[in-house]
Amino acid sequence: MTLDAPGCLPIANIFPCLLSRTRMADEQIRIKSIATCFRIVEQIQADGSAGISELAREVGLSKSAVYKHVQTLCRLGYLVREGDEYHLSLKFLMLGTEARKRLPLTVAERVVTELAETTGHTTNFIARENDRGIYALRVEPEGMTSKAQLEGKEAPLHATAGGKSIFAYLDEDERDEIIERTGLEAFTDKTITDRAVLDEELQSVRDKRVAFDREEFIDGVQCVASPVLASDHSPIGSVSVTGNIQIMSGKRLEEEVVGLVVSAAKTIEKEVRTT
């Protein structure tokens, strides 16, 4: 006697299938849970601090669900509670310090600081990480206020001077893959979103070792950047100078700052190659 109906899987095969589906479902739940934890961390970072009700509203989850994630993060030491508000813990300093060790920031910090003092503008060292640039170092002259990005923030490769300085030195296949994955998002009405126009601009970067951002990422902010290249001419990162449109435009943007930025990038490049 058999319990298997005609055309159906044998019972011996059913349980492994059910077990496999259960494992897949459990994995998806774990992945979703991890993603939610990071959404909460990033939301607290953006807000400075937040309570459970505020987080629930901003991440689109119930207060009970957010509470469970927050308590887990607190137990792990990544969040701290002060009254009814939660803050990122200083444990993130350890992670950030370790992440920075793989970058040539000892050299970059000295050069970028000198560049900020000379130009009187915010200066940055931008490193490439996967499909994006990251503001790994920022130096802002004393008393200077700007809309410059915080350290750790993203510098879109197609929409920032520092990003284009990196993007230009990737091989064409790699650029194609990045654009296919990320697209050419418009951050302002001046962002380059046409591939042919972008390719033409990247060729200019390769020809001159200089890239410009003319309010393409942030309205009212313009930048000039130059790449820092390894000995095989792959991009390690870039150096950029940022300023508001009132003081970083015309001759100041196109000529006066360019030589200083290129010189700074080459200085870092030379020291990195000889260490």
Side-chain angles (χ1 to χ4, degrees):
M1 178 179 179
T2 179
L3 297 179
D4 298 333
C8 295
L9 284 172
I11 285 180
N13 292 342
I14 291 176
F15 291 107
C17 289
L18 292 175
L19 183 59
S20 177
R21 290 177 183 174
T22 301
R23 287 173 177 168
M24 289 175 62
D26 288 344
E27 184 177 357
Q28 289 173 349
I29 290 171
R30 286 195 296 271
I31 292 172
K32 186 176 181 181
S33 180
I34 292 169
T36 299
C37 279
F38 278 102
R39 284 172 59 202
I40 289 170
V41 166
E42 290 176 351
Q43 191 62 55
I44 293 174
Q45 184 274 323
D47 294 342
S49 66
I52 297 296
S53 297
E54 182 182 355
L55 286 170
R57 184 170 57 254
E58 291 176 331
V59 302
L61 294 173
S62 68
K63 288 192 286 186
S64 61
V66 168
Y67 180 79
K68 291 177 182 177
H69 287 291
V70 166
Q71 291 308 302
T72 297
L73 289 165
C74 285
R75 285 196 297 272
L76 293 172
Y78 290 103
L79 294 183
V80 292
R81 180 176 179 177
E82 296 181 6
D84 293 330
E85 299 280 299
Y86 292 88
H87 302 257
L88 300 186
S89 81
L90 296 178
K91 193 170 184 177
F92 282 100
L93 285 175
M94 177 183 67
L95 300 180
T97 299
E98 188 63 29
R100 288 164 63 98
K101 286 181 180 179
R102 60 190 175 86
L103 300 174
L105 294 185
T106 301
V107 176
E109 184 169 14
R110 172 177 55 79
V111 175
V112 168
T113 299
E114 290 175 358
L115 183 61
E117 293 172 353
T118 302
T119 63
H121 295 304
T122 301
T123 57
N124 310 282
F125 179 80
I126 298 168
R128 181 203 173 190
E129 193 167 72
N130 298 325
D131 296 344
R132 58 189 181 168
I134 299 293
Y135 289 92
L137 177 67
R138 184 191 72 167
V139 178
E140 195 164 339
E142 186 176 354
M144 185 78 176
T145 58
S146 74
K147 297 181 182 179
Q149 296 297 294
L150 297 175
E151 291 179 354
K153 287 288 189 178
E154 181 176 336
L157 294 180
H158 71 289
T160 59
K164 283 186 276 189
S165 291
I166 294 169
F167 213 12
Y169 286 87
L170 300 179
D171 62 55
E172 187 173 357
D173 288 342
E174 193 168 8
R175 288 200 301 272
D176 289 343
E177 291 170 1
I178 290 173
I179 291 173
E180 184 176 347
R181 286 191 295 265
T182 65
L184 298 175
E185 180 181 352
F187 294 93
T188 72
D189 59 5
K190 296 182 180 179
T191 304
I192 297 174
T193 57
D194 182 279
R195 178 60 190 275
V197 175
L198 178 62
D199 285 342
E200 184 177 344
E201 177 135 346
L202 296 181
Q203 181 60 57
S204 175
V205 174
R206 290 190 293 274
D207 292 341
K208 301 176 182 178
R209 285 195 60 142
V210 174
F212 296 96
D213 164 7
R214 299 175 176 86
E215 298 186 87
E216 295 163 45
F217 185 35
I218 301 173
D219 286 320
V221 173
Q222 302 202 126
C223 311
V224 58
S226 186
V228 175
L229 305 176
S231 56
D232 63 356
H233 293 284
S234 62
I236 297 171
S238 62
V239 174
S240 71
V241 170
T242 300
N244 63 55
I245 194 170
Q246 285 74 31
I247 55 176
M248 275 283 285
S249 60
K251 184 178 179 181
R252 179 67 172 164
L253 175 68
E254 305 286 346
E255 298 178 22
E256 293 180 8
V257 180
V258 168
L260 296 171
V261 173
V262 172
S263 177
K266 286 184 176 180
T267 297
I268 297 172
E269 185 177 287
K270 181 179 179 181
E271 294 198 30
V272 168
R273 290 184 183 185
T274 56
T275 57

